[in-house]
Amino acid sequence: SQTIHQWPATLVQPVGSPLSLECTVEGTSNPNLYWYRQAAGRGLQLLFYSVGIGQISSEVPQNLSASRPQDRQFILSSKKLLLSDSGFYLCAWSEDRVYNSPLHFGNGTRLTVT
Amino acid sequence: AQSVTQLGSHVSVSEGALVLLRCNYSSSVPPYLFWYVQYPNQGLQLLLKYTTGATLVKGINGFEAEFKKSETSFHLTKPSAHMSDAAEYFCAVRANAGNNRKLIWGLGTSLAVNP
């Protein structure tokens, strides 16, 4: 069966520090991968999605970036965090070329920028 | 363009009462529809999905939803609420056409279950 791992679960970082969140998927190949952010009391905001290694689509201009160095690995990064980057970050995957495939989510990372 | 509207950001029911969470969508092509549940500080878990075929879809934890094309709705129901159903619920839609990999999300409905 497929599993998705996301870490760390919680993170407190000062303003201006770098960020690296990692997500890996097991049990499937060539998944579509997604990074979402969920701010308090708001819905889900799609940040990035990827359909293959090195292929990243950015949905929202910001100081965050994403990379996919391996087929089942998706990394969210920032060189300098802002207070507004605080939120709950969710990684998800779906089956490639299966358009009724749901998204499967990791357990999320709670990021607090102080 | 597609959109999803969840009517009522907060819904409160008594334990044992009917749960009804409303979702209306807008799509120019036949949609795929999804309901997810999110417990505090956790990721989203798929409750059920509609793709094609039977319009009444049964999901996990006793939930079901009915796709009504004429009303562009996909409301989520459960006959009898449990305390453990207290969570945030999200409706989402994806176009059943083209190479669209993205879901369009509603803003969510927070369900409270009172003893």
Side-chain angles (χ1 to χ4, degrees):
Chain A
S1 63
Q2 302 91 354
T3 55
I4 178 168
H5 303 281
Q6 187 180 344
W7 68 93
T10 60
L11 191 60
V12 180
Q13 293 283 96
V15 169
S17 64
L19 173 72
S20 180
L21 303 181
E22 190 164 342
C23 172
T24 60
V25 180
E26 297 176 357
T28 187
S29 59
N30 197 33
N32 296 323
L33 296 172
Y34 308 80
W35 278 111
Y36 281 89
R37 178 169 59 200
Q38 192 175 24
R42 298 175 66 179
L44 290 157
Q45 181 185 34
L46 179 61
L47 301 175
F48 302 94
Y49 72 94
S50 171
V51 301
I53 295 174
Q55 301 179 63
I56 309 295
S57 295
S58 175
E59 293 294 302
V60 181
Q62 60 218 330
N63 69 323
L64 299 172
S65 63
S67 62
R68 185 171 177 173
Q70 301 181 44
D71 181 44
R72 294 183 293 272
Q73 183 185 27
F74 205 24
I75 297 171
L76 183 69
S77 303
S78 174
K79 293 182 179 178
K80 290 185 177 181
L81 284 169
L82 306 173
L83 285 174
S84 57
D85 292 323
S86 293
F88 192 51
Y89 289 82
L90 291 158
C91 181
W93 72 273
S94 67
E95 294 182 61
D96 188 40
R97 302 184 185 281
V98 178
Y99 301 118
N100 62 359
S101 170
L103 268 62
H104 306 277
F105 286 84
N107 286 329
T109 296
R110 174 74 59 191
L111 172 66
T112 303
V113 182
T114 60
Chain B
Q2 294 175 292
S3 65
V4 176
T5 302
Q6 290 184 239
L7 297 175
S9 58
H10 298 277
V11 171
S12 181
V13 301
S14 298
E15 190 174 18
L18 171 72
V19 175
L20 171 60
L21 303 182
R22 300 178 187 274
C23 174
N24 288 88
Y25 69 90
S26 172
S27 178
S28 59
V29 297
Y32 296 128
L33 295 158
F34 306 85
W35 273 103
Y36 285 82
V37 61
Q38 184 181 31
Y39 299 101
N41 293 312
Q42 294 187 25
L44 279 72
Q45 180 182 11
L46 180 69
L47 277 175
L48 49 80
K49 67 178 182 179
Y50 169 78
T51 54
T52 58
T55 57
L56 182 62
V57 180
K58 295 186 183 298
I60 62 172
N61 301 341
F63 284 93
E64 62 183 34
E66 186 171 10
F67 170 60
K68 292 187 176 180
K69 183 178 178 180
S70 61
E71 299 178 7
T72 61
S73 69
F74 191 56
H75 301 333
L76 182 70
T77 61
K78 182 174 180 177
S80 176
H82 295 170
M83 296 296 290
S84 60
D85 294 327
E88 189 87 14
Y89 291 81
F90 292 93
C91 181
V93 63
R94 178 190 287 141
N96 181 10
N99 197 20
N100 190 341
R101 296 173 173 84
K102 294 183 288 185
L103 291 184
I104 306 300
W105 295 88
L107 293 179
T109 296
S110 177
L111 175 66
V113 181
N114 305 310

